[in-house]
Amino acid sequence: MSSFQLNLNPLKEPLGFIKVLEWIASIFAFATCGGFKGKTEIQLTCHKGNENKTITAAFAYPFRLNEASFDAIPDANVCDINWKNYVLIGDYSSSAQFYVTFAVFVFLYCLAALLLYVGYTNLYRDSRKLPMIDFVVTLVATFLWLVSTSAWAKALTDIKIATGPGIVKELQPCNHQVTCYFGSVTSMGSLNVSVIFGFLNMILWGGNAWFVYKETSLHSPSNTSASHSQGGIPPPSGI
């Protein structure tokens, strides 16, 4: 196996430069989704005493909303109702975790690929298997970015609905025991950015497929074929 020799020239080529962009984009993808924390607030007016109170339900990645119960400070019992018994609706952890986990794997693969590009340039260029493996992984990653981002975008839409004004109608006490008004919900701008970076990653990987393909034997003729074309073995004569 070739020894490690630092060569930064591949980073100046599309093959290496785009890989750096993919590495950075993957960081933004899982960071903007996995690091989110938010809450939704509902304002209450008790029928007894005409008091105004606020209850909140905190939620975060991986967005198991059915485990996010409502709470009030300092007492969970507001208007003679234990709000800890009521939760948000929906479990979107599968889509969110699939998206974040895949982004982390892409991050690690980009690191390994960049190490191969700049540290073992000759090994990569002289091998027939490594560029082909890189090409197949690039195609698979492009497809999985499309699938994971589409699933996460749909889940995000449902999360916005589940934590929005419609939650008031789903809370049983709000129908007859107290008067409820939707207060606010944490801005989900960072989650919108995560979806954007997901599709951006898909575009980057799809575009990079061509440059990886150029390194494979499918695009470049093998050494054996090249030597034959140069006259090593005469072509068979016709009958």
Side-chain angles (χ1 to χ4, degrees):
M1 181 177 179
S2 301
S3 59
F4 179 85
Q5 292 180 347
L6 184 62
N7 180 11
L8 299 180
N9 287 330
L11 299 181
K12 302 177 183 178
E13 302 173 2
L15 179 68
F17 179 72
I18 296 179
K19 190 65 68 180
V20 174
L21 296 181
E22 292 170 348
W23 177 66
I24 296 174
S26 66
I27 296 176
F28 280 96
F30 68 74
T32 51
C33 178
F36 180 85
K37 292 182 180 180
K39 64 179 181 179
T40 183
E41 295 184 352
I42 296 178
Q43 297 175 354
L44 309 176
T45 300
C46 303
H47 292 173
K48 295 181 179 179
N50 199 26
E51 294 180 324
N52 295 324
K53 300 289 184 177
T54 300
I55 59 174
T56 62
F59 58 95
Y61 174 84
F63 304 102
R64 294 188 178 93
L65 301 187
N66 55 354
E67 297 180 1
S69 61
F70 284 90
D71 194 11
I73 299 176
D75 187 5
N77 293 316
V78 176
C79 302
D80 297 326
I81 300 171
N82 186 3
W83 290 97
K84 284 187 175 295
N85 296 329
Y86 299 92
V87 297
L88 297 174
I89 300 174
D91 182 357
Y92 307 98
S93 59
S94 59
S95 297
Q97 288 178 319
F98 175 38
Y99 177 81
V100 171
T101 302
F102 175 65
V104 172
F105 276 120
V106 167
F107 166 78
L108 297 175
Y109 178 79
C110 288
L111 282 180
L114 287 172
L115 177 62
L116 181 62
Y117 292 167
V118 302
Y120 301 94
T121 307
N122 294 333
L123 176 64
Y124 180 82
R125 293 281 167 81
D126 295 339
S127 173
R128 298 185 61 182
K129 292 184 179 180
L130 291 178
M132 185 60 66
I133 294 174
D134 196 15
F135 179 59
V136 172
V137 171
T138 300
L139 294 180
V140 173
T142 303
F143 175 73
L144 290 180
W145 272 122
L146 173 62
V147 173
S148 62
T149 305
S150 299
W152 168 231
K154 175 61 171 63
L156 177 57
T157 301
D158 294 338
I159 291 172
K160 290 179 180 179
I161 295 174
T163 58
I167 188 61
V168 173
K169 298 179 181 178
E170 303 296 335
L171 292 175
Q172 183 179 359
C174 294
N175 297 326
H176 54 277
Q177 292 178 265
V178 294
T179 302
C180 303
Y181 304 95
F182 178 75
S184 63
V185 64
T186 304
S187 173
M188 300 186 187
S190 63
L191 299 182
N192 294 332
V193 172
S194 70
V195 173
I196 294 174
F197 271 101
F199 286 114
L200 176 61
N201 272 287
M202 183 196 68
I203 295 173
L204 286 174
W205 282 84
N208 196 35
W210 165 249
F211 298 103
V212 179
Y213 169 76
K214 291 175 64 177
E215 301 293 331
T216 67
S217 58
L218 297 176
H219 180 268
S220 302
S222 63
N223 295 332
T224 304
S225 300
S227 62
H228 286 179
S229 65
Q230 292 173 3
I233 300 176
S237 58
I239 299 178

